[in-house]
Amino acid sequence: MSERRIRGIAASPGIAIGPVYRYEPLLITVEVEAGQDVATELARLEAALAAARQEIRLLAEEAGRAVGPKEAAIFSAHELFLQDPELLQQVQGRIRQQQSAASAWQAGFQHYIHQLQAVQNEYLQARVLDLEDVAQRVLRHLTGQAEESWQLSEPAVIVAHELTPSAIVRCPREQVLAFCTAQGGPTSHVAILARALGVPAVVGLGEELAGVRSGQAVIVDGERGLVIAEPEAEALARYRRQAQRLQRRARQAEEDRQQPACTRDGRCYPVRANVQTPEEVAAVRTCGAEGIGLLRTEFLFLERRQAPSEEEQREIYRALIEAVQPAPVVFRTFDIGGDKPVPYLSLPRESNPFLGLRGVRLGLQRPPLLRTQLRALLRAGAGRELRILFPMVSSYEEVEALRRLVQEVEQELRQQGQELAERVELGIMIEVPAAALLVDVLAEVVDFFSLGTNDLTQYVLAADRTNESTASLADPFHPAVLRLLQLTVEAAHRCQRRVEICGELASEPLALPLLLGLGIDELSMVPRAVPRCKEAIRRWTLQEAQQVTREALHLRTAAEVRSYLHTCSPDEAAS
Ligand code: PEP
Ligand code: MG
């Protein structure tokens, strides 16, 4: 056999070399069985649902321990599927027509999945795999089959058509070198879980992956999104060197994570953490971050029956300020809408939620909600400096209205004799191209800008960030995105305004020279990426980074930019 290269999507960084273990779970299907006793079958359904619920709770606990609370929430969604009244009614209806519980469940679930597939919402469609996972779990209990176990006798690269979250959580992690799947995009659960576990992963490898067999040797390049099956000696030697280098670097990065992040020629950068659940706050200090560069406050508004009160919010915000002081917290006002629905707000159904009532658009249409949050923030910042960041801004009028609202709230609190923040800095996210193009105008009314490259990329490239079929198009290394970043930073600096970055691009060491070269002033990212980013900053001089950026901005495609950056990192040059 000769070496074969299969290209996919880089979903979790790192290099792995090892034998393949093909994961092919058995799919349970049952025949339609009629003439069953209704009461017995209803009781069997109840028992199977209860057993599945219990298993899912254990899996959620396991996921919480292994990867963190945000990822464990995947399983809360699984539990919700089991309680869906429409689904249960369907299944019970079939049982009352004397079908067996197993065949009624199978038919009911299939109907549910077909309905989901028909909804023109890519995010929901991507969740079909989760539904199948749950459906199989209940079917297993109804048919009395044992849960499949992993049969890994040695460390291996897991190759599968697709992987359910529960398969990943149950896998023997110490034996798993990497994950490779034919399906999936960068937002799929396999990508999210692999990143959280620190395991390299390449997804979206397509049908070619079917030709890779158990026991074959493979190289998984999670940096470039490449799988090499049956590699030749030259590729093996090169990748072994690279893997060793990455390991050395990761060790060094961990050791130095509390040190400042300064380039070789002495320019130092604040590197902060993005936080989206209170549980993550503990990681801010331990990962070496200087405070919180993006607090996604919407976590307070999701998965509950009513909006949090002013006092509840104030207490949480104050605790966060105190937890990381004297370093700052950048509080982003709630970014509800888009892929983050909030049922109790009864928002109108939208056919394009990402282009709809999202972020400050919602806040300005429902002033009481935003007013309450601003009151809570200003009071939480009592006696200190406070940074507030507004998401999804697309016009000057919006920022003017937001400023007015903040001033009104300040005045109101003063009149009520409340203690409030001493100095308030107002910033906006640059996520909509219109805001990027208007930076010089917006600089009149804001103190700082923060680049939200996740949304900016989807809006510049017209590629939905949650849609797995356009995942490879939504690439922040696309030259059009980079040119817009350049324009933003230059305009902001001409107006003496600071530019931060809090999109995922900040956590990619490959992008680091570009971010330095473009002139970004502060970086913020998921806590686990902080040590690696600080280490990457230390490898460059500002001048080298500027040179690389000049070259990159003239390239034609995202692929050209990525491959250019791979070749010019000081580390690659040394190999
Ligand atoms: C972004 O859009 O880059 C961002 C940081 O915000 P979020 O991912 O929460 O939309
Ligand atoms: Mg955003």
Side-chain angles (χ1 to χ4, degrees), residues 425-457:
E425 274 203 341
L426 296 185
I428 59 165
M429 302 272 297
I430 296 292
E431 333 186 73
V432 180
L437 293 164
L438 273 187
V439 159
D440 55 335
V441 175
L442 297 172
E444 288 172 22
V445 276
V446 304
D447 302 299
F448 68 97
F449 296 98
S450 189
L451 299 170
T453 47
N454 308 340
D455 278 313
L456 189 63
T457 304

Side-chain angles (χ1 to χ4, degrees), residues 294 296 332 340 358 429 431 452-455 465 502-503:
L294 171 68
R296 291 182 163 107
R332 181 176 77 183
K340 298 168 189 151
R358 192 192 156 185
M429 302 272 297
E431 333 186 73
T453 47
N454 308 340
D455 278 313
R465 65 192 265 190
C502 61

Side-chain angles (χ1 to χ4, degrees), residues 16-22 150-159 171-180 199-200 214-216 218 220:
I17 303 171
V20 166
Y21 174 90
R22 268 212 89 91
W150 286 82
Q151 307 287 343
L152 278 178
S153 53
E154 56 175 347
V157 170
I158 310 302
V159 171
C171 75
R173 279 180 292 283
E174 52 307 333
Q175 304 272 57
V176 173
L177 300 174
F179 294 113
C180 300
V199 173
S214 273
Q216 278 184 343
V218 285
V220 181

